[in-house]
Amino acid sequence: MFKCYFDGIVLVQVGDIDGDGDMDILVGFATGASPVSWLENDGGRFITRKITLATPGVVGLQLIDMNVDGLPDVVATMAGGNLVWFKSGFGARTWAANEVNIPGDSVAAAVFDYDQDGDNGTPSDY
């Protein structure tokens, strides 16, 4: 049984974030200093790992391999119109943020292989 005592969680994704074969938990928060975090499954014990981002207010969250390197990346849509792709590195110990300003007030982003060329993107990439 896993109990979570975080306030303000609005989105949850489950996947093997660090590539060790067990399921980890990705969480998005509506408020707070670190709106995107993940819970590393360390043999049934969960360790909170933060993904640094200055902009509060996650409204969309997806765990997907954006650059086809075999590591899951995080795509977060933020209140106010920004989409942030967090590129995973070193077993999810480092994250490189790539922020894209999207006109309007975004709600969520659909990330998939839009043009069927083997890599993932959003329809707004084309």
Side-chain angles (χ1 to χ4, degrees):
M1 177 72 140
F2 174 70
K3 294 182 181 179
C4 184
Y5 298 101
F6 292 108
D7 288 329
I9 292 177
V10 293
L11 298 163
V12 175
Q13 293 278 306
V14 177
D16 186 8
I17 297 171
D18 55 4
D20 65 356
D22 57 22
M23 293 293 108
D24 305 299
I25 304 169
L26 177 70
V27 293
F29 296 89
T31 61
S34 185
V36 180
S37 296
W38 67 285
L39 303 172
E40 178 183 2
N41 184 347
D42 186 25
R45 180 177 66 112
F46 287 85
I47 301 167
T48 302
R49 307 283 187 199
K50 296 184 180 191
I51 302 174
T52 305
L53 179 66
T55 309
V58 175
V59 294
L61 194 62
Q62 190 170 0
L63 189 60
I64 188 167
D65 186 1
M66 286 291 289
N67 56 345
V68 196
D69 65 355
L71 299 170
D73 303 308
V74 173
V75 175
T77 312
M78 313 307 291
N82 286 346
L83 179 136
V84 184
W85 162 36
F86 296 99
K87 182 181 177 298
S88 176
F90 302 108
R93 294 294 187 255
T94 63
W95 298 89
N98 302 285
E99 195 162 346
V100 178
N101 190 340
I102 299 173
D105 194 13
S106 56
V107 174
V111 179
F112 57 97
D113 187 1
Y114 185 76
D115 58 359
Q116 299 179 358
D117 66 352
D119 62 0
N120 293 306
T122 64
S124 64
D125 288 340
Y126 306 98

